[in-house]
Structures are given as C-alpha cells and as structure tokens.
Amino acid sequence: MEDTNIEKKGYAFSKEGMNILKEMMKDYPSSDALLLPALYIAQEEFGHLDSGALQYVADVLKVPRSKVFGVATYYTMYKTKPTGKHLVQVCTNLSCSLLGADHILKYLENKLGIKVGETTHDKKFTLITVECLGSCGTAPMMQVNDTYYENLTEEGIDRILEGLK
Amino acid sequence: MNDILLKNINKQNSTDIETYLKDGGYKPLEKALKEYTPKEVIDIVQKSGLRGRGGAGFPTGKKWEFAAADKNTPRYLLCNADEGEPGTYKDRPIIEKDPHQLIEGIIISGYAIGAAACYIYIRGEYVYGADVLQKAIAQAYKKGFLGKKILGKKFDFDLYVHKGAGAYVCGEETALIESLEGKRGQSRIKPPFPVNVGVWNKPTVINNVETLANVSHIIKNGPDWFKSMGPEKCPGPKIYSISGHVNKPGNYELIMGTSLKDLIYKYAGGIKDGKKLKAVIPGGASTPVLKPEHIEVNMDYESVGAVGSMLGSGAIMVMDETVCMVGVTRRLLKFFAHESCGKCSPCREGTHWLVQILDRIVNNEGKTEDIDLMLDICDNMRGKTFCPLGDGAINPVLSTIKHFRDEYLIHIEEKRCPVNYPHSEYCL
Ligand SMILES: Cc1cc2nc3c(=O)[nH]c(=O)nc-3n(C[C@H](O)[C@H](O)[C@H](O)COP(=O)(O)O)c2cc1C
Ligand code: SF4
Ligand code: FES
C-alpha cells in the first residue's frame, strides 16, 4: 500500500543518535539487528514513530519500509501515535489485579480526567494499561515513561503525579 | 535463605565490580579458564545436575554439549532476560543488584561452549536493569574479563545488551532469536533447534538469567556441592517469586523442592487479612492452577508435575477466597490473546475465542454448552501450535474447569458471581 502522506523532510537523527547507531553496528554480524535499537533512537528523538519517522529509519538502515512498519507495529513499546509527556502505564495482569490494579486505574482515570487510552488536553499525561512488568511482588504498580512506581496507594499516586507536573 | 544467588543484593554498592571482587568474585572465572578445558567445564555443569530456570527445566550441560559439538562457527550464547511470564520477577534482583554474578556466569558459559559473543536480551521495560548491566559490562571489559585474550588465555569473548520492545513471546527462545535479528518476534518451528541453527543461523545456546547465575558457584564449589542440594533430579538453589494475597510477597531463594506450603505460610507469611486460601498458580501464568489440597507439594519439576501442574519459572501467584476463578481465567486469557504472535491459527484464533466465551460467562450471559465448547477449543490448540505459548494459554482454562467447575456453573446457571464480593473488582 502506497502511503502518500509520508513526510520525508525534517527527519534526521541527531549527531549523537547517529553515532550511537554507528557504534552499535560493530556489535552485530548483521546490520539488520539494528532495527529495534534504531526505532528506539527514532522514538526518543522524534517523539513517536509516524510514517515519516519509519521511512527515515528504513532509509538509514537500507531495509524495506514494509519491514520497518511491520516491526514497529508488532512491539508494544513503539508508539506510532503521539502520547503525552508522561506515559502512565498501569499493570493490570493477575498479581497486580489481585491487589487492586482496577482501583488504581479508576483512581488515575478520575484524577487525570481521562479514560484508558486517552491523553490529557494539556498533553501531559497518557494513560494506558500494560501486561506484567515484573513487579508482581510489589503490586500494584505502574511505570511512568521509564520509571517503575511500586506498592501504589492513592496518596502515593497523588505524590507521584505532583512530582511530574 | 538467600544464601547463594541473592546473597549480594542487599550489600552497599552491590553492582560495583570492586565490591564483587572483594568477595572473591571472578575467581571462579579464573579457575575455569586456568584449570579446566571447555569440555571439562561442560562436564562439571552436567555432573552438577543444573537444569534451566527459564521454565522448561532442560539440563544445561546437555544443551551446551549439543552446541559445542556443532562445528559451525561462530557460536553464540544468548542470555534470556526477557522475564515476561506473569508473576515472575526473579531475574530482576540479579540483573539490578548483582550484575557481575550474571556476567561471570555468562563468561564461563561462553568459554564452555566456545562462543564468540553473548547477547543479553533484556525486556525493554527493564530500562534500569539494562543500564546497570551496561555499566557492569564496561567495568568487566576494563578489568580484562571481557574482550580479547581474557586472563591471558586464547579466549576472546564479547558481551552486549540488547533491548526487547514489549512482547511476551520474545521470551520464547526462537522468537527471541527472531527479535534479536531485527524482526517481528514470532516463533520458529523446531527442529532445527537453536543449538544447531540459532541466531544468524549459527549454533546458539539460550539460557535464562538465573540458570547462568548458578554457573560461577558450581565452578567455585564443585558439582557435588550443587548436587547435594535438593532433589536428585533437579538440585540447586531456586528463586521463588511469590505474589498475590500473601502477607510478605517477595523473592525467596531456597533449596529446590521446598514445599509450596512452607513458601506460602512460613516464608511469605500466610494469606493476607486472615482470609482463606483458594487457589495457587505455582509457576507463572501458563502453569495449571492448583487447589489448597495440593500445597504440600514440593516445588521441583517432577513433584509439581505429579500433581498436574508445572514448576515453570517458580512464580507463585496466591489467591484467597474473595477471588472468582472464572474472572482470573478471563484475565489470564486476555493476556495470552494479546501476546499471541499470530503465526499459527490455533493459538491466534483459539485464545480470542476463549476470551469471548469467558467474557460472556463472567457477564452472566454464558450458556451451558460453553464449558464443553472451551474444552473443545483447548483440545484443538494442545500440541498443535508452533511454540509452547499456545499450550500454556489453555492451562488456566483446563485447570480451572477441572478444579472450579462449580464457579463456572454458578456464573452460567445462576447468573451471578460465586463469590460474595462486588463483581467488578473480584471478577477482575
Ligand atoms: C511464551 C514463552 C515465554 C517464555 N519466556 C521466557 C522468559 O521470559 N525468560 C526465560 O528465561 N525463558 C522464557 N521462556 C523459555 C525459553 O523458551 C527457554 O526455554 C529458556 O530461556 C531456556 O533457558 P534455560 O534452559 O536456562 O531455562 C519462555 C517460553 C515460552 C514458550
Ligand atoms: S503458539 Fe501462539 S505465540 Fe506461538 S507461534 Fe503460534 S501463534 Fe505465535
Ligand atoms: S502482575 Fe503486575 S507487575 Fe507482574
């Protein structure tokens, strides 16, 4: 399928990003392995992976665009749509649910005034649910961007969100 | 408790190589490289009886032997740090708090199989852990434990961290390989096995973090020491991750084969709020649910198998009397449906059908024939999928129908939840 909306201009890795990628090239016998790392760099630098960003990654790595699109949409950590500044990810798998993940989620929905999957008007917060993140012994938990917050309570959440303003 | 694998995690500066060296760290590596040939290291690990801690329990030395016997080079070692099986968080303290224990185990293992390099495939969400590993690896390079001519021997070995990006199935070894190669992480059909045709079509050994963490201790203390701990068929220490309705959830490193009862009551402090135990998942989300009558079981591969479940990753999820087992099953099946890679239809379609049926049962719209329908779907998935994700996905369904059929019937026939707690919270 030909996507005519691809914005080719304006996408370029920073010098630093490009250097990281070049350095990593030495670590693998095949440059195909750089696709996941390159998508991380693109996401970091461009905010999210829209079709222009994906086309750029395809061009840089000289791999088919279809492959880049396929990979980017396969993994949950790649965001093809914009998200808020803080991506609030609440684990709702079993161990967290047993200890009130449901309640935590509702509390967050109320507090942020959005439903799961939505972004606040000021684009500060996006709320999503995720599967087990390996914090089951300190449930319930959430991850905000890269940081884990465990043993969540309402007061805890108040404090955490306050710190993220 | 916490004597071997977790002994360093509460030390100050536990991730620093100097702390590790002070305690005799990297001496086992020196011993392995100077006193043993690679073949001898494999023999020692075989003799120790170490079996993989990632879930399947395959004998580690055997796997190494297969790969080492393949003359195709270079060979690779992959460390599976994807830790995605719900309930499991045992590799995390090793990665985050004692990375050198893992790195040392990796280098010795790499030496044994004659690997050129190892990639630690770590789940993308473990950002902190990946960072700790990167720093620790840099330290190990500086000290000459990694790189060219390690400890003056004719042994070159590199170690890299590679991040996953959020896909449970990438913990499955062939999907992990696909992902490392820069593809969608979809499982490959076996055979050929990774020990012969693995990453970049080279002989590849894939081992779990906890498995590899055991290796330096085996070299240090000898195979007999290791074999003397726990059951004859699967000796050694084991980290059990306990979660859910217990007073003291956490990681408990004990001798393999510790009873489930002791784990729940003696170590994890019993059931929260004085409630009654209703069900236990002994080895992560893909292992069959057990009932209170099973908790005398010893937590090793054979014993858990004998009561109809699996040790899996040793992730124990404890549920009290407030929990609706139909709801639990639906929650888990939603997970499997979400994580199915979609390559084979029994798993791709089956998991979604099961979710649809479980949804209507939980919503009190189920039909009497739904139980048989689910059993039929499970039958059409079992053994008919590319990878074990599909087999794992049916376990919650089959085991809850077996042990908690009455709860399904109450939902279906009486159109209500079997537990007297507000529906939305406890049907999950
Ligand atoms: C769906 C699925 C997910 C898996 N996830 C993991 C995982 O996160 N970590 C792991 O070590 N093994 C996982 N495994 C098991 C691996 O396929 C493999 O058996 C294991 O890494 C081998 O290492 P070991 O012999 O040291 O246990 C998974 C298996 C399946 C079928
Ligand atoms: S069983 Fe499921 S996860 Fe495994 S290959 Fe088939 S569709 Fe993919
Ligand atoms: S179930 Fe939530 S972190 Fe594991």
Side-chain angles (χ1 to χ4, degrees), chain B residues 87-98:
Chain B
T88 315
Y89 54 98
K90 67 186 179 65
D91 297 338
R92 211 176 132 202
I94 299 175
I95 294 165
E96 293 183 354
K97 303 278 178 55
D98 199 4

PDB file of all heavy atoms in Angstrom, chain B residues 87-98:
ATOM      1  N   GLY B  87       3.797 -12.947  36.937  1.00  0.00           N
ATOM      2  CA  GLY B  87       4.090 -13.470  38.265  1.00  0.00           C
ATOM      3  C   GLY B  87       5.580 -13.573  38.534  1.00  0.00           C
ATOM      4  O   GLY B  87       6.016 -13.712  39.668  1.00  0.00           O
ATOM      5  N   THR B  88       6.374 -13.505  37.484  1.00  0.00           N
ATOM      6  CA  THR B  88       7.814 -13.761  37.605  1.00  0.00           C
ATOM      7  C   THR B  88       8.603 -12.468  37.729  1.00  0.00           C
ATOM      8  O   THR B  88       8.485 -11.581  36.888  1.00  0.00           O
ATOM      9  CB  THR B  88       8.314 -14.514  36.353  1.00  0.00           C
ATOM     10  OG1 THR B  88       7.396 -15.562  36.051  1.00  0.00           O
ATOM     11  CG2 THR B  88       9.698 -15.086  36.581  1.00  0.00           C
ATOM     12  N   TYR B  89       9.405 -12.383  38.783  1.00  0.00           N
ATOM     13  CA  TYR B  89      10.281 -11.210  38.913  1.00  0.00           C
ATOM     14  C   TYR B  89      11.557 -11.601  39.620  1.00  0.00           C
ATOM     15  O   TYR B  89      12.134 -10.841  40.380  1.00  0.00           O
ATOM     16  CB  TYR B  89       9.547 -10.070  39.638  1.00  0.00           C
ATOM     17  CG  TYR B  89       8.949 -10.453  40.979  1.00  0.00           C
ATOM     18  CD1 TYR B  89       9.626 -10.166  42.164  1.00  0.00           C
ATOM     19  CD2 TYR B  89       7.729 -11.114  41.056  1.00  0.00           C
ATOM     20  CE1 TYR B  89       9.097 -10.523  43.392  1.00  0.00           C
ATOM     21  CE2 TYR B  89       7.195 -11.469  42.286  1.00  0.00           C
ATOM     22  CZ  TYR B  89       7.879 -11.176  43.452  1.00  0.00           C
ATOM     23  OH  TYR B  89       7.345 -11.541  44.655  1.00  0.00           O
ATOM     24  N   LYS B  90      12.010 -12.819  39.317  1.00  0.00           N
ATOM     25  CA  LYS B  90      13.175 -13.378  39.995  1.00  0.00           C
ATOM     26  C   LYS B  90      14.511 -12.978  39.380  1.00  0.00           C
ATOM     27  O   LYS B  90      15.517 -12.910  40.060  1.00  0.00           O
ATOM     28  CB  LYS B  90      13.074 -14.898  39.999  1.00  0.00           C
ATOM     29  CG  LYS B  90      13.206 -15.473  38.582  1.00  0.00           C
ATOM     30  CD  LYS B  90      12.962 -16.961  38.524  1.00  0.00           C
ATOM     31  CE  LYS B  90      13.074 -17.464  37.099  1.00  0.00           C
ATOM     32  NZ  LYS B  90      14.410 -17.345  36.503  1.00  0.00           N
ATOM     33  N   ASP B  91      14.500 -12.717  38.068  1.00  0.00           N
ATOM     34  CA  ASP B  91      15.759 -12.347  37.410  1.00  0.00           C
ATOM     35  C   ASP B  91      16.118 -10.893  37.693  1.00  0.00           C
ATOM     36  O   ASP B  91      17.278 -10.506  37.618  1.00  0.00           O
ATOM     37  CB  ASP B  91      15.650 -12.550  35.887  1.00  0.00           C
ATOM     38  CG  ASP B  91      15.424 -14.014  35.512  1.00  0.00           C
ATOM     39  OD1 ASP B  91      15.754 -14.893  36.330  1.00  0.00           O
ATOM     40  OD2 ASP B  91      14.898 -14.271  34.411  1.00  0.00           O
ATOM     41  N   ARG B  92      15.103 -10.128  37.996  1.00  0.00           N
ATOM     42  CA  ARG B  92      15.304  -8.693  38.185  1.00  0.00           C
ATOM     43  C   ARG B  92      16.317  -8.362  39.286  1.00  0.00           C
ATOM     44  O   ARG B  92      17.206  -7.535  39.055  1.00  0.00           O
ATOM     45  CB  ARG B  92      13.957  -8.037  38.481  1.00  0.00           C
ATOM     46  CG  ARG B  92      13.867  -6.610  37.985  1.00  0.00           C
ATOM     47  CD  ARG B  92      12.469  -6.059  38.231  1.00  0.00           C
ATOM     48  NE  ARG B  92      12.558  -4.756  38.842  1.00  0.00           N
ATOM     49  CZ  ARG B  92      11.585  -4.204  39.546  1.00  0.00           C
ATOM     50  NH1 ARG B  92      10.448  -4.847  39.753  1.00  0.00           N
ATOM     51  NH2 ARG B  92      11.742  -3.007  40.058  1.00  0.00           N
ATOM     52  N   PRO B  93      16.232  -8.975  40.487  1.00  0.00           N
ATOM     53  CA  PRO B  93      17.243  -8.628  41.503  1.00  0.00           C
ATOM     54  C   PRO B  93      18.659  -9.006  41.072  1.00  0.00           C
ATOM     55  O   PRO B  93      19.616  -8.300  41.430  1.00  0.00           O
ATOM     56  CB  PRO B  93      16.806  -9.426  42.733  1.00  0.00           C
ATOM     57  CG  PRO B  93      15.862 -10.461  42.238  1.00  0.00           C
ATOM     58  CD  PRO B  93      15.218  -9.889  41.013  1.00  0.00           C
ATOM     59  N   ILE B  94      18.787 -10.096  40.325  1.00  0.00           N
ATOM     60  CA  ILE B  94      20.131 -10.479  39.860  1.00  0.00           C
ATOM     61  C   ILE B  94      20.651  -9.410  38.911  1.00  0.00           C
ATOM     62  O   ILE B  94      21.780  -8.931  39.032  1.00  0.00           O
ATOM     63  CB  ILE B  94      20.102 -11.858  39.160  1.00  0.00           C
ATOM     64  CG1 ILE B  94      19.638 -12.948  40.136  1.00  0.00           C
ATOM     65  CG2 ILE B  94      21.467 -12.191  38.560  1.00  0.00           C
ATOM     66  CD1 ILE B  94      19.474 -14.310  39.509  1.00  0.00           C
ATOM     67  N   ILE B  95      19.806  -9.012  37.976  1.00  0.00           N
ATOM     68  CA  ILE B  95      20.199  -8.018  36.973  1.00  0.00           C
ATOM     69  C   ILE B  95      20.491  -6.670  37.624  1.00  0.00           C
ATOM     70  O   ILE B  95      21.518  -6.049  37.372  1.00  0.00           O
ATOM     71  CB  ILE B  95      19.066  -7.851  35.928  1.00  0.00           C
ATOM     72  CG1 ILE B  95      18.887  -9.136  35.131  1.00  0.00           C
ATOM     73  CG2 ILE B  95      19.344  -6.662  35.011  1.00  0.00           C
ATOM     74  CD1 ILE B  95      17.573  -9.190  34.347  1.00  0.00           C
ATOM     75  N   GLU B  96      19.579  -6.241  38.477  1.00  0.00           N
ATOM     76  CA  GLU B  96      19.683  -4.878  39.020  1.00  0.00           C
ATOM     77  C   GLU B  96      20.666  -4.756  40.178  1.00  0.00           C
ATOM     78  O   GLU B  96      21.230  -3.690  40.398  1.00  0.00           O
ATOM     79  CB  GLU B  96      18.298  -4.396  39.481  1.00  0.00           C
ATOM     80  CG  GLU B  96      17.322  -4.199  38.344  1.00  0.00           C
ATOM     81  CD  GLU B  96      15.972  -3.638  38.806  1.00  0.00           C
ATOM     82  OE1 GLU B  96      15.759  -3.509  40.030  1.00  0.00           O
ATOM     83  OE2 GLU B  96      15.137  -3.339  37.924  1.00  0.00           O
ATOM     84  N   LYS B  97      20.819  -5.861  40.935  1.00  0.00           N
ATOM     85  CA  LYS B  97      21.607  -5.742  42.168  1.00  0.00           C
ATOM     86  C   LYS B  97      22.915  -6.518  42.136  1.00  0.00           C
ATOM     87  O   LYS B  97      23.805  -6.249  42.931  1.00  0.00           O
ATOM     88  CB  LYS B  97      20.776  -6.229  43.363  1.00  0.00           C
ATOM     89  CG  LYS B  97      19.452  -5.508  43.546  1.00  0.00           C
ATOM     90  CD  LYS B  97      19.666  -4.209  44.284  1.00  0.00           C
ATOM     91  CE  LYS B  97      18.381  -3.417  44.465  1.00  0.00           C
ATOM     92  NZ  LYS B  97      17.316  -4.155  45.125  1.00  0.00           N
ATOM     93  N   ASP B  98      23.024  -7.509  41.297  1.00  0.00           N
ATOM     94  CA  ASP B  98      24.257  -8.300  41.284  1.00  0.00           C
ATOM     95  C   ASP B  98      24.651  -8.670  39.854  1.00  0.00           C
ATOM     96  O   ASP B  98      24.806  -9.838  39.519  1.00  0.00           O
ATOM     97  CB  ASP B  98      24.060  -9.571  42.131  1.00  0.00           C
ATOM     98  CG  ASP B  98      25.387 -10.201  42.538  1.00  0.00           C
ATOM     99  OD1 ASP B  98      26.448  -9.618  42.225  1.00  0.00           O
ATOM    100  OD2 ASP B  98      25.369 -11.281  43.159  1.00  0.00           O
TER     101      ASP B  98
END
